[in-house]
Structure formats: C-alpha cells, structure tokens
Amino acid sequence: MAHLILRRLLLAIPLLFIVSVLTFVLTNLGPGDPAATILGNSATPESIAALNHQLGLDRSIAVQYWNWLHAALSGDLGTSVVTSQSVGQAISQRLGATLSLVMLSTLVAVVIGVGLGLVSALRGGILGRVTDILSIGGYVIPNFWLGLLLVYFFSVSLGWLPATGYVSPADSIGEWIRSMVLPVLALSVMGITGVAKQTRDALREVMSREFITALRADGFPEWQIILRHGLRNAAIPIVTVTGVLFIGMFGGTVLIESVFVVPGIGGLAVTSAQTGDFQSLQGVAVVFGLVVVGANLAVDLLYGWFNPKVRVQ
C-alpha cells in the first residue's frame, strides 16, 4: 500500500505542473488587462504601461511563470494585482465554505444514493424504472436552475430557510446547517441519482453471482449477505463514481456559490476571471489540482480497503 501511495504522489507532480502551465498560459493569453482594471476608465496608455512594468506583467510569459513557480514551490502563491491581498490568504479564507458545501453534498449524495440503489436493486420493478428516470432528470436539470427554484419555494414562499449567505460552523452549528441546506440540495441532486443508478446496477450484478447463492444455501441471513458480501463486492464502482462526483462538485460550486452568495473559492475564481486577476485565478487552479490529486489518492486507498489485491499491485 505504501508503494501505491508513493507512486500516486509521484504521478501527481507532473499533473500539477501541467495544470499550472496551462492555466498560466491561457489566463495570460486571454482578454483583459489587470493594469487597466486597476486604474479604471480614466487610465492613459502611459499609466497602464507603467503599472504593467511595475507589476512585472510586461515580461515574457516564460519569465513570469518561472518567477511564479519559484515562489509557489516555497508556499507563496503570489499577491493579487487587483486587491493586493495574498492569494494564499484569500483562498484559505474561502476554502472552508467550499469544502463544507462539497463534502456535505457528497455525503448526502452517497447516503441517499446508496439507499435508493439498494432498495431498487432488491425490489426492482417500477422502483428500478423510477431510479432510471430520476437519474436522467438529475443529469439534465442544471443545478443553478434547481437552486433558484429551491430559493423561491423554501425561502421566498415558505420562509423556512435563508436564501443566501454562509455562516461558519465556528460561529453557530445550527445556522451553519441552515445556510447549507439549500445549496447542498441543489448541488447533490445529480450525485444522488448517479450513485443510486451505479449502486443498483453493481449490486444486481453481484447478487446474481454463484457465491451469493452458496451463502443463501448455507443459511446465512439475507441482510448479512446483502450488507457484508453484496455491498462490499459492489463497492468498487460505487467508490469510483463517488470520487468522480466529488471532483465534479468542485466545478459545480462555481455556479452554486454565485446563486446562494456563498463566499467560496468558486466565487473567487469567477471574480478573478472577470477582473483579470491572473494571480488569484492561478492559485485557485492549483488548489483544484491538489483536490483532484487528493480525491484520486483517497479512491485508491478505498480500493485497497475493499479489494486487498490492489494493495500488492
């Protein structure tokens, strides 16, 4: 297992390098001029050129990237050219809100999805067809549109939950939960349907194997067969779809955080792109890359736990 972890970490190095290079090049080649944004509409070409020189933005992309990489390797993601705030500080202030949203949404998707898939696999019939329909609907319905509907129904019409905003759990656990209910529901619907369908298909395939028949013939209780043997053998595809879901939810936070005014790094990415704040956008991309690496490593570790053969590969 240690060899597997080391190999995955070594593979993460070129992945993060490629992500950082692509992000840096694309953001610098894109439209927009941070200096012009900072100085405003009254800026002259001379003042813009002077500020670009002061910020080092008139240098070649290769030189700018090398300077950024040298600082990043020491833990410094740079300073925002728009707000003059440390990029690392800006991300750390917003990371908690995004992690709360993504982790809660993943938890809700897995718990409800596995439950629906389990019932669908064992009952079948109309419940299985309903799961298929919900799966298609979950992928088709945009999460930001669903979020607006949830706001209208639960906040505007009923007044049960806050429409926007985020409360840190350090301030109030109860208010934190209330502020997370609607964005978590909006973000997790697609995940619920995906996990439910994957669980149903994987469990039905496992329950049709010969060793399940043998366990039943030996008199094992049905619940024990399902939970200890059926779900464990069906866990690999469920873990796979959960890992993909977790990574995909980070991308989904960009719109969800905008709808519910959650101060997360998705909103920081949008603001940075709009203002031409390339340093902050670069930092967000690196954090997303680290999330992908961490999620893939967690999936590999779960593979090894559910299937001991993976540990020796």
Side-chain angles (χ1 to χ4, degrees), residues 135-149:
S135 298
I136 297 174
Y139 285 111
V140 170
I141 299 175
N143 53 22
F144 67 90
W145 182 77
L146 179 60
L148 293 174
L149 290 180

Side-chain angles (χ1 to χ4, degrees), residues 24-105:
F24 200 91
V25 172
L26 291 176
T27 52
N28 278 272
L29 293 179
D33 189 339
T37 303
I38 295 171
L39 296 175
N41 296 329
S42 61
T44 63
E46 292 76 15
S47 62
I48 293 176
L51 184 56
N52 276 327
H53 179 72
Q54 179 183 346
L55 297 174
L57 300 178
D58 57 346
R59 301 176 183 177
S60 67
I61 294 179
V63 172
Q64 292 184 54
Y65 177 75
W66 172 253
N67 292 335
W68 175 88
L69 181 62
H70 184 268
L73 290 176
S74 62
D76 181 12
L77 294 177
T79 303
S80 168
V81 297
V82 176
T83 64
S84 299
Q85 183 185 16
S86 167
V87 173
Q89 183 182 6
I91 291 175
S92 64
Q93 290 174 349
R94 294 169 172 261
L95 188 59
T98 298
L99 287 178
S100 296
L101 178 57
V102 173
M103 295 181 71
L104 286 175
S105 298

Side-chain angles (χ1 to χ4, degrees), residues 222-246:
E222 187 68 16
W223 67 268
Q224 189 176 22
I225 295 174
I226 295 170
L227 297 181
R228 294 188 58 182
H229 302 280
L231 273 180
R232 186 178 182 88
N233 283 273
I236 295 298
I238 299 174
V239 169
T240 301
V241 75
T242 301
V244 174
L245 173 67
F246 181 82

